[in-house]
Amino acid sequence: MQVPERIPEHVAVIMDGNGRWAKARGLPRTAGHKAGVNAVRETVRNASELGIRYLTLYAFSSENWSRPPAEVSDLMGLLKLFIRRDLADLHKSNVEIRIIGERSRLKPDILKLLQNAEDLTRGNSAMTLVIAFNYGSRDEIIRAAARIASDVSEGRLSPEDIGAAAFAARLDTAGMPDPDLVIRTSGEQRLSNFLLWQAAYAEFVFMPCLWPDFGRDQLIEALSVFGSRERRFGGVEARVS
Ligand code: IPE
Ligand code: IPE
Ligand code: MG
């Protein structure tokens, strides 16, 4: 597949369809999640090779706690395994890791791993891999609003200075560019509480492929669709992003 000329700076992915992938093979859902981790590995490598600067992956939503406890614990286990196995390689590849989401409900061992991954890779410049874990956009927005309120009540911020920039600076994604492209696999066409603020002007590409089947060709296909879109940001003419 031909690599498109225009590569978005920030690609965010709703990795969906692990369960259906497993079901189609008569396997337990865990097998789908395991296969999904391989697709994560491959996608990180491909994104970096293609020159994507920020890759955000939706790994566990604030609503995913409603799944059976065994599945929740499998998903936690896979994140731990991924970080333990891949952190050194990611660091060697000059990838910076950032985690977004609410941390207070996570177990101490996971928290420590996540913190470690961020500390070790801080300042790496090939690509930033953002892992959305225990992430929910409404929760993130509420936490930002609470920070604004306490900054105002403690005199660090005056109400006249509350604007989009002050708000964005208090989101988990502070300092990152907004996503240019949001990809969702598995055919579902919804955001499921992902980057509601940040995706205000993102392009959306929904693909039928299930997450474990998402490889280089599928990434390039999504980038090609993105390349054919005209982004206007409310104006009249297309603006190159
Ligand atoms: C996406 O696959 C992975 C996570 C939500 C963690 P699903 O587990 O949602 O797979 P489906 O949607 O049931 O096929
Ligand atoms: C969204 O997928 C969350 C992640 C990919 C982590 P879900 O499978 O949880 O979303 P819904 O329930 O189909 O909306
Ligand atoms: Mg799903």
Side-chain angles (χ1 to χ4, degrees):
M1 264 198 135
Q2 217 196 321
V3 176
E5 250 170 61
R6 195 154 62 92
I7 298 290
E9 183 182 23
H10 185 172
V11 175
V13 188
I14 304 173
M15 311 184 286
D16 198 13
N18 292 350
R20 278 162 279 174
W21 183 92
K23 195 173 177 202
R25 285 162 181 74
L27 298 168
R29 291 179 62 85
T30 333
H33 295 314
K34 273 198 193 128
V37 176
N38 292 331
V40 166
R41 222 167 253 135
E42 206 189 315
T43 300
V44 171
R45 199 180 49 236
N46 290 329
S48 177
E49 275 172 21
L50 290 165
I52 292 167
R53 287 286 304 113
Y54 289 82
L55 175 69
T56 297
L57 300 178
Y58 202 6
F60 190 89
S61 79
S62 49
E63 285 73 42
N64 286 148
W65 293 103
S66 65
R67 296 189 178 200
E71 181 166 350
V72 169
S73 114
D74 278 344
L75 289 166
M76 300 282 154
L78 282 173
L79 175 77
K80 283 196 272 186
L81 205 65
F82 173 70
I83 301 230
R84 287 204 184 108
R85 276 207 195 144
D86 289 54
L87 181 59
D89 279 348
L90 290 167
H91 185 43
K92 227 189 287 163
S93 313
N94 200 16
V95 171
E96 177 181 60
I97 298 177
R98 276 189 63 178
I99 315 291
I100 56 172
E102 160 64 75
R103 301 197 188 191
S104 69
R105 227 183 130 178
L106 300 177
K107 294 215 174 106
D109 59 336
I110 288 208
L111 268 180
K112 216 171 135 204
L113 272 177
L114 298 180
Q115 190 68 53
N116 229 350
E118 286 185 316
D119 290 344
L120 178 71
T121 61
R122 185 164 295 122
N124 283 353
S125 55
M127 184 179 79
T128 298
L129 169 64
V130 184
I131 303 176
F133 199 80
N134 192 20
Y135 177 85
S137 219
R138 286 183 170 181
D139 170 72
E140 180 194 32
I141 288 169
I142 288 164
R143 285 187 285 109
R147 268 184 228 165
I148 296 249
S150 72
D151 286 349
V152 168
S153 79
E154 283 161 34
R156 290 187 294 266
L157 179 71
S158 74
E160 308 83 74
D161 293 331
I162 301 173
F167 200 83
R170 286 163 179 81
L171 292 168
D172 296 351
T173 50
M176 298 178 201
D178 285 340
D180 304 290
L181 166 63
V182 175
I183 300 170
R184 182 169 188 151
T185 56
S186 91
E188 308 302 341
Q189 303 196 359
R190 54 180 171 262
L191 272 178
S192 303
N193 205 8
F194 188 49
L195 302 178
L196 301 181
W197 167 283
Q198 297 87 340
Y201 269 103
E203 294 296 325
F204 291 91
V205 173
F206 298 104
M207 306 180 80
C209 120
L210 302 174
W211 176 249
D213 295 326
F214 188 89
R216 188 180 158 87
D217 285 353
Q218 287 72 22
L219 177 59
I220 290 178
E221 186 190 330
L223 297 176
S224 306
V225 175
F226 171 82
S228 69
R229 299 267 176 88
E230 188 176 281
R231 301 181 83 190
R232 294 184 172 185
F233 299 95
V236 184
E237 277 165 49
R239 232 163 62 196
V240 177
S241 54

